[in-house]
Amino acid sequence: MPQRSCIACRKVLDQSILVRYVLSPQGEVLVDYGQKLPGRGGYTCCDITCLETAVKRSQFKRIFTGLSVAPTCQGLKEDLVRQVRQRIANLVGMARKSGVVVSGSRLVMTELGRDSGLSLVLLSEDLSATIASKVKSIAESRGVPCYVIFDKGYLGQLMGKGERSVVALSSSPLAETINDEILRYKQIAGEA
Ligand SMILES: [Zn+2]
């Protein structure tokens, strides 16, 4: 597995867990969360502190000689948050297609109650506090992590349905990947 160093803290880590940046043809720094864009890349830890340090110490200017627009912490952070959310949405959509999801608060609570192998629960940002605390308490008793992400309209869209405020995934490699991405997201968004 290739390793790269963070341009802020200099730690050398597996490339796959770092955040990649490239320079656009217009000379702007772009976040390349999917690590697919062409060109020379620069890397930071998946950590907002390293991103900020890299901007403050003008490290992007140092690694990208054609840089014409100085990046801002705010701009890069927004770009990064948007891309991680998009990645999570894509993964949840894949999970739906591969049949490892159940949705709807009642169904999820029933499945959690009979311990049917759920490993991850997603709660919408606009779920009522009463239902959220009910779901959380059952999930907690089963040792299943619960995360708040997306609104019920978007979660429903990812399920190919109307609004959905509770979605759960069966234990699967995909659920583990989504879990890891959500933890990265929370870290980046400062919610960890
Ligand atoms: Zn770092």
Side-chain angles (χ1 to χ4, degrees), residues 103-160:
S103 65
S105 55
R106 272 191 215 138
L107 184 55
V108 169
M109 282 194 277
T110 306
E111 296 290 313
L112 282 170
R114 60 189 194 91
D115 209 2
S116 63
L118 297 181
S119 67
L120 178 64
V121 175
L122 308 179
L123 306 175
S124 74
E125 287 151 354
D126 46 3
L127 176 63
S128 86
T130 319
I131 300 177
S133 84
K134 271 187 195 166
V135 178
K136 274 185 199 160
S137 99
I138 303 178
E140 208 165 275
S141 73
R142 297 296 185 191
V144 177
C146 266
Y147 301 106
V148 176
I149 190 161
F150 303 137
D151 60 31
K152 59 190 172 192
Y154 193 44
L155 271 181
Q157 191 187 320
L158 296 174
M159 291 298 104

Side-chain angles (χ1 to χ4, degrees), residues 6 8-9 45 50:
C6 168
C9 73
C45 299
C50 283

Side-chain angles (χ1 to χ4, degrees), residues 41-55:
Y43 298 83
T44 66
C45 299
C46 191
D47 180 316
I48 224 65
T49 312
C50 283
L51 186 159
E52 285 172 355
T53 304
V55 171

Side-chain angles (χ1 to χ4, degrees), residues 75-95:
L76 289 181
K77 186 181 166 183
E78 279 173 14
D79 203 7
L80 181 55
V81 163
R82 187 181 49 76
Q83 291 188 38
V84 186
R85 284 175 72 95
Q86 185 61 55
R87 163 81 64 87
I88 295 166
N90 293 345
L91 290 167
V92 172
M94 277 168 63

